Amino acid sequence: AQKVTQAQTEISVVEKEDVTLDCVYETRDTTYYLFWYKQPPSGELVFLIRRNSFDEQNEISGRYSWNFQKSTSSFNFTITASQVVDSAVYFCALRDSGSRLTFGEGTQLTVNP
Amino acid sequence: EPEVTQTPSHQVTQMGQEVILRCVPISNHLYFYWYRQILGQKVEFLVSFYNNEISEKSEIFDDQFSVERPDGSNFTLKIRSTKLEDSAMYFCASRAPTGPKEQYFGPGTRLTVT
């Protein structure tokens, strides 16, 4: 069965600090997809990124970057020069052979001014 | 940009009552989903729906729950006899038939069972 672990329940940083959110996953499938979603205080779930299991290239989008390592089953997310607006709960999720997304417990990120 | 919409945004109901939560997925999407999130907890999969039938459901999705696509645009989740523990945020999501595999989520319906 698939599983996603986000060991960091809460992280608090000061604005402009870099912060990395960890995600470790388990699946028996060789083809799978990994995702990050952001849930701001307003409650909606905002899609951030998707990676395929066969594409280990890291990705950068503005202040966001993602490090996918199959060898350690990790898909970590880094925010560079954090801002107050980055404060949210961040969820890592996995979809393998089924149709469901399996979410991690989420990491509450608080960026203080 | 097209988006998933959900109504109502907040529903309060008494235990034992039936509720229907409504969703309008993105128009060219063919895969539909319901998830729920109990306050302060992670998002949990309930059911997926494709080609007018359930393609996968979780252990949470018991006989009290049902889904329907009554017309070409709406996708509904019905809870027949609500329990206190059904209080949660319910998210609808949809995905395109080809191309990107990400699911796009609606803003959610907060269900409060009293």
Side-chain angles (χ1 to χ4, degrees):
Chain A
Q2 63 272 56
K3 186 179 177 184
V4 176
T5 302
Q6 294 179 254
Q8 305 149 308
T9 307
E10 293 182 31
I11 300 176
S12 184
V13 298
V14 177
E15 211 170 14
K16 296 184 185 165
E17 281 185 32
D18 298 348
V19 58
T20 296
L21 310 181
D22 297 334
C23 172
V24 173
Y25 62 92
E26 293 175 33
T27 177
R28 292 186 184 146
D29 290 353
T30 53
T31 300
Y32 52 88
Y33 302 88
L34 295 162
F35 305 82
W36 277 95
Y37 285 86
K38 175 182 179 180
Q39 187 173 44
S42 48
E44 71 270 27
L45 285 165
V46 179
F47 164 75
L48 295 177
I49 191 170
R50 166 182 50 87
R51 298 308 282 169
N52 308 329
S53 55
F54 42 88
D55 181 3
E56 278 194 81
Q57 270 197 337
N58 292 325
E59 183 158 337
I60 298 174
S61 175
R63 296 184 297 108
Y64 295 170
S65 61
W66 292 269
N67 184 352
F68 176 28
Q69 293 201 339
K70 281 177 83 167
S71 60
T72 55
S73 297
S74 66
F75 184 43
N76 297 336
F77 172 29
T78 298
I79 302 174
T80 304
S82 59
Q83 299 175 2
V84 172
V85 293
D86 295 327
S87 296
V89 180
Y90 290 85
F91 290 98
C92 180
L94 165 72
R95 183 168 83 83
D96 50 25
S97 57
S99 54
R100 70 176 71 189
L101 282 176
T102 298
F103 284 81
E105 301 284 341
T107 297
Q108 169 72 61
L109 173 65
T110 302
V111 181
N112 298 298
Chain B
E1 186 165 327
E3 56 185 24
V4 177
T5 59
Q6 290 185 244
T7 54
S9 56
H10 190 191
Q11 172 98 44
V12 181
T13 189
Q14 288 191 327
M15 201 165 51
Q17 295 296 304
E18 174 184 286
V19 294
I20 297 177
L21 309 183
R22 301 180 193 281
C23 168
V24 178
I26 295 173
S27 63
N28 64 333
H29 287 189
L30 297 181
Y31 294 86
F32 312 117
Y33 310 84
W34 284 101
Y35 292 80
R36 79 170 187 193
Q37 184 182 31
I38 295 170
L39 187 63
Q41 297 186 22
K42 68 177 178 181
V43 180
E44 301 174 290
F45 170 79
L46 292 177
V47 66
S48 58
F49 191 86
Y50 172 71
N51 201 24
N52 277 322
E53 60 183 29
I54 290 174
S55 48
E56 190 177 352
K57 61 182 181 179
S58 71
E59 38 303 329
I60 303 168
F61 194 87
D62 61 21
D63 293 343
Q64 293 282 66
F65 292 89
S66 62
V67 289
E68 194 179 30
R69 187 154 162 82
D71 53 43
S73 59
N74 289 285
F75 179 51
T76 62
L77 174 70
K78 183 193 290 186
I79 309 175
R80 258 178 274 282
S81 177
T82 50
K83 308 185 193 91
L84 293 176
E85 54 265 36
D86 293 327
S87 294
M89 181 75 94
Y90 288 81
F91 291 103
C92 173
S94 68
R95 177 168 78 83
T98 57
K101 305 294 185 189
E102 50 268 25
Q103 297 175 19
Y104 289 91
F105 285 78
T109 292
R110 177 160 298 286
L111 177 65
T112 303
V113 183
T114 62

